[in-house]
Amino acid sequence: ALQNMGTSALAAAPRRVAGRFEPAFLAAFWLAFTALAFLFPYNGDDWAWGSPAGIDRLKVWFHDYNGRYAGDLIAIALTRTPWLTPLVVSAAVTLTVFLVLELTGQRTALGYTVAVALFLAMPLTQWRESVAWVSGFSNYVLGTMCMLVFLRATTLDWSGRLGRRRIAVRRCAIVVLAV
């Protein structure tokens, strides 16, 4: 059946939302998720990161801890700025939803509805350990978001849709994200 379809069906342009729906939806989702994120309590080692124990771990560069240096540094920063944490969590989740739909070519009203519904239907245990828990968020959601940014950058690079100057910047970003 795929042979009869030719390459036009496989190489079809990604579907995108027309008009103002997408920015309005993303802004509304970000605002709603920010309000929700203000309700997330600190738990587990979030309390340690925001206390002198977190700085003690930093002083020895997290020796014998978990090896997640970037995530640990971000956890220290977020637990020490509680007003910023919900904004960052919401921005990362919103960007993750956007990137998943961008990479799959499903930036439509239905795509956004399904993606957000599936995200919100995440099992409670995963929700607690990856979104509501600052340490988990710092290590898992931000890492996932960086991988999605990396995939989008390589997709744009391989598609040849960038000018020369943007290609150089994009390739530098790809190398940084890959490391």
Side-chain angles (χ1 to χ4, degrees):
L2 282 177
Q3 292 172 345
N4 295 335
M5 289 173 41
T7 58
S8 62
L10 296 175
R15 296 186 301 174
R16 300 189 193 260
V17 177
R20 298 181 184 168
F21 172 81
E22 185 175 44
F25 183 88
L26 290 171
F29 180 71
W30 180 79
L31 286 170
F33 204 84
T34 298
L36 180 65
F38 269 106
L39 302 174
F40 298 162
Y42 284 164
N43 60 61
D45 62 352
D46 293 344
W47 294 105
W49 289 123
S51 72
I55 299 301
D56 291 341
R57 290 176 186 163
L58 176 60
K59 286 179 183 175
V60 295
W61 198 239
F62 312 110
H63 181 71
D64 288 335
Y65 193 63
N66 64 13
R68 300 181 194 135
Y69 304 111
D72 293 343
L73 288 169
I74 293 167
I76 287 174
L78 290 177
T79 55
R80 292 173 179 277
T81 54
W83 60 270
L84 181 63
T85 303
L87 302 173
V88 171
V89 168
S90 184
V93 168
T94 302
L95 182 59
T96 299
V97 168
F98 170 80
L99 288 170
V100 165
L101 294 173
E102 170 72 13
L103 288 167
T104 59
Q106 297 299 316
R107 286 174 48 198
T108 64
L110 178 62
Y112 275 106
T113 303
V114 169
V116 168
L118 288 172
F119 179 78
L120 294 175
M122 182 186 324
L124 187 57
T125 304
Q126 283 182 310
W127 182 269
R128 283 185 196 140
E129 293 183 10
S130 61
V131 179
W133 179 34
V134 175
S135 299
F137 168 81
S138 299
N139 287 295
Y140 308 131
V141 174
L142 293 179
T144 300
M145 189 183 67
C146 285
M147 179 56 92
L148 291 171
V149 168
F150 172 77
L151 289 172
R152 183 167 187 268
T154 54
T155 301
L156 288 174
D157 186 37
W158 290 346
S159 72
R161 292 185 285 167
L162 299 174
R164 271 201 198 286
R165 196 177 87 201
R166 290 188 71 189
I167 286 176
V169 170
R170 184 84 53 184
R171 287 187 179 157
C172 288
I174 288 170
V175 170
V176 168
L177 286 169
V179 173

